[in-house]
Amino acid sequence: MSDEMAEHARKAGIAESLAKVRERIERACVNAGRSSGEVGLSAVTKTFPASDAALLADLGVTDLAENRDQEAAPKVREFHRLRPRSRVRWHMVGQLQRNKARSVVRWADVVESVDSRRLVEALQRAVGGALESGERSEPLDALLQVNLEQRTDRGGCAPEEVPELAEMITRMCEIRLCGVMAVAPLNEDPDVAFATLSGISERLRRDFSEAREVSAGMSSDLESAIAHGSTRVRVGTALLGGRPLVSP
């Protein structure tokens, strides 16, 4: 099969998967009494090539997500080489170490995994430097990742830490507070987790009206997340297929 034929077949496969995901979102919104326009879709392209990201953009996907800076930084550069006129928003959705802040703010429009004061401070410095050097033209949009379980290896701040971090961000001109993000605990009822996140988001919006985003729900549980008020789902496997094995 020629490269052109392979690309055409891959695009057709992604288009079919994308239609099914959008149907699921539409159906979930109908069941929740919501408009599908209230729920955005981020395609998680981690472990997949820049060519797949380019095909998603061709199909109208405007938000792409990555979870590792070392993979994302070169992929974003390659994406812009492949689609120099395409305008997509790149989301960092994985745990972020402070020493990666300078690199991440040079490709990410949104960081959804803000979970500590020290990370906020690192991002503030990094964004300030990138704005000054011309490597960014806009402040960084930020979501507070909330840990909904006892495990600490999956990232996120404790629910009681959310107001303090939100207050800290709103005092900065380099970062814009946009809302909250969470991952449902493994092997537990996602409805319980997303109901908890909904309550956290509602309380946050009382004091910070700009924090409207609720990023929750993935391939396996997006219906539950939408039922509990998610405004953005992060979908990878249902769009691009099973992920190839990668080294840690």
Side-chain angles (χ1 to χ4, degrees), residues 215-238:
S215 176
M218 299 188 290
S219 294
S220 62
D221 56 19
L222 66 85
E223 286 85 0
S224 174
I226 290 172
H228 291 284
S230 173
T231 64
R232 177 162 300 279
V233 295
R234 309 180 303 274
V235 180
T237 302

Side-chain angles (χ1 to χ4, degrees), residues 3 9 18 25 38-39 79 101 103 110 128 137 159 164 166 168-169 171 174 177 183 199-200 210 222 228-229:
D3 290 346
L18 178 60
I25 294 172
E38 298 176 26
V39 181
F79 173 87
S103 176
V110 188
S137 59
E164 178 186 3
M168 184 180 182
I169 291 173
R171 294 198 301 266
E174 298 89 351
L177 176 67
V183 179
I200 293 169
E210 68 273 26
L222 66 85
H228 291 284

Side-chain angles (χ1 to χ4, degrees), residues 116-125 139-140 165-177:
S116 72
R117 292 181 61 89
R118 295 178 71 183
L119 179 56
V120 172
E121 291 168 349
L123 289 170
Q124 179 193 29
R125 292 191 296 270
L140 178 74
L165 290 176
E167 176 65 33
M168 184 180 182
I169 291 173
T170 56
R171 294 198 301 266
M172 300 174 175
C173 60
E174 298 89 351
I175 308 176
R176 293 185 289 228
L177 176 67

Side-chain angles (χ1 to χ4, degrees), residues 7 14-16 18 22 35 40 83 123 136 152 159 162 167-168 172 183 196-197 225:
E7 180 179 3
I14 293 175
E16 181 179 358
L18 178 60
R22 285 177 168 159
S35 165
R83 299 293 187 273
L123 289 170
R136 288 189 71 91
T152 60
V162 168
E167 176 65 33
M168 184 180 182
M172 300 174 175
V183 179
T196 300
L197 183 65

Side-chain angles (χ1 to χ4, degrees), residues 124-136:
Q124 179 193 29
R125 292 191 296 270
V127 174
L131 289 169
E132 186 175 345
S133 67
E135 293 173 282
R136 288 189 71 91

